[in-house]
Amino acid sequence: LAKTTQPISMDSYEGQEVNITCSHNNIATNDYITWYQQFPSQGPRFIIQGYKTKVTNEVASLFIPADRKSSTLSLPRVSLSDTAVYYCLVGDNNAGNMLTFGGGTRLMVKP
Amino acid sequence: GAVVSQHPSWVICKSGTSVKIECRSLDFQATTMFWYRQFPKQSLMLMATSNEGSKATYEQGVEKDKFLINHASLTLSTLTVTSAHPEDSSFYICSARVRTSGSQTQYFGPGTRLLVL
């Protein structure tokens, strides 16, 4: 399973765009990249998933360079309610492998 | 996205008793579910993989006789913490996989807070 490395914490202010980068140097050919958000005492919530290039949904964008050794989660115009821990996970979803959690990034959004 | 529920959301029990936690996929069938444990300010740790109709697969260091997993149907997996002790107090989270276009996505339940006195 590919190991991921993320910044331990980040600070931002309301209304700003936040970019969280995750390194996964040994990502395998069949691995997908998935990001989750977790609030205290809640289960992780799926944000976005991608394989290559750019994926966008109603809450975030995911940028994946051609070598796929890293990925960047972009949260546009964050609010106080986006304060949470964000996890980047890499795994072969089609093979049915479970996802292994790294340490995550604790995002603090300030007013 | 797909919805996964857990019951109960929290439980307090005396040391030595057993506690059962249910994990349900509400709008889809899940042949495979996962059980995680999370201690305060730590990441999620995978405990076991629950397979419908077969035995669960446990991660190294997780006692299968203490954490009994049953996946009797395509929408229900249960985790029973047997003879619970204070060190078993934790946040237990289950997840299930859903096949989406081209891949599979893992969705998580809301978690169950267990406090053993």
Side-chain angles (χ1 to χ4, degrees), chain A residues 1-43:
Chain A
L1 296 173
K3 180 182 177 181
T4 60
T5 303
Q6 302 174 235
I8 294 175
S9 64
M10 293 180 67
D11 289 343
S12 182
Y13 291 91
E14 282 190 291
Q16 288 188 333
E17 178 185 77
V18 171
N19 296 308
I20 306 175
T21 297
C22 178
S23 297
H24 27 80
N25 290 319
N26 59 339
I27 188 170
T29 302
N30 295 329
D31 285 343
Y32 279 74
I33 301 158
T34 311
W35 285 80
Y36 290 88
Q37 174 193 56
Q38 186 181 30
F39 297 113
S41 296
Q42 294 187 26

Side-chain angles (χ1 to χ4, degrees), chain A residues 96-109:
Chain A
N97 295 333
M98 70 292 181
L99 296 176
T100 301
F101 281 78
T105 297
R106 192 171 299 271
L107 173 66
M108 173 69 72
V109 180

Side-chain angles (χ1 to χ4, degrees), chain B residues 64-79:
Chain B
K64 63 180 181 180
D65 294 330
K66 180 169 185 61
F67 298 99
L68 301 179
I69 291 173
N70 184 280
H71 195 154
S73 78
L74 289 172
T75 59
L76 173 64
S77 175
T78 61
L79 169 68

